[in-house]
Amino acid sequence: EEQLRWLRSELAAASAAGERVIVLCHVILEPRACGGSTMAWDYEEALEAVRSGEAGGCVAAVLCGHDHSGKYHCDDAGVHHCTFSSPLNKGDEGCAFGVVHVFADAIEIRGPRVDDALPIVRGGKPTGRPAARRCAADAFSGECESVRLPLRPAAR
């Protein structure tokens, strides 16, 4: 309960300041962003805090791990729920790592093979994640793939 109070308070302060928020959580908050059995025990309350009037639409994304296969879901409010794959499941040839760039209008995930980190298909079904594209090297990463997740304007 203490962590949820803290989360609500931080989101309300960010909303009042006109800030955008990316929530980082080891355990998944959104059931549609995982296989359904690896969520935080109080995920419903955490999602309520993210979607609350006090948060005012300030949450742009929730980035999680824990579900080793990874999955993506964008909810009705435009919040991107990204559950990243475990590098352990990809073996020596896997590339389940990358860099997250944050822009005013989008979040970009870059990596050698974005599907290794954030799959576009899971269990034979599309996750809804936008398609990856090749990208040129920049100051943080070499040639890679990227996925651009557009951000809705923050509610005021």
Side-chain angles (χ1 to χ4, degrees):
E1 187 59 36
E2 180 182 346
Q3 289 178 346
L4 288 170
R5 275 194 305 276
W6 174 86
L7 177 63
R8 287 185 195 101
S9 173
E10 291 295 312
L11 295 178
S15 179
E19 298 173 341
R20 297 304 301 269
V21 174
I22 296 176
V23 175
L24 305 175
C25 185
H26 174 75
V27 186
I28 298 124
L29 302 183
E30 170 56 65
R32 292 168 290 187
C34 67
S37 63
T38 57
M39 295 160 308
W41 63 270
D42 57 353
Y43 75 90
E44 291 164 322
E45 291 89 352
L47 281 176
E48 193 284 322
V50 166
R51 297 172 178 153
S52 70
E54 291 80 16
C58 71
V59 178
V62 179
L63 309 181
C64 301
H66 197 69
D67 181 284
H68 289 199
S69 298
K71 197 167 179 187
Y72 168 84
H73 175 72
C74 185
D75 69 21
D76 292 339
V79 177
H80 298 280
H81 296 267
C82 302
T83 304
F84 294 100
S85 301
S86 170
L88 298 173
N89 289 6
K90 297 299 174 182
D92 292 341
E93 303 302 316
C95 294
F97 58 90
V99 176
V100 175
H101 294 265
V102 180
F103 303 98
D105 65 341
I107 296 170
E108 182 182 52
I109 300 166
R110 291 177 157 230
R113 287 195 305 263
V114 173
D115 273 348
D116 278 6
L118 188 63
I120 195 166
V121 174
R122 178 167 172 174
K125 296 180 183 176
T127 64
R129 192 208 78 199
R133 62 177 178 80
R134 294 296 307 160
C135 54
D138 66 11
F140 297 103
S141 53
E143 284 190 36
C144 60
E145 294 178 347
S146 73
V147 169
R148 195 165 178 87
L149 306 174
L151 299 179
R152 291 184 185 171
R156 295 278 175 174

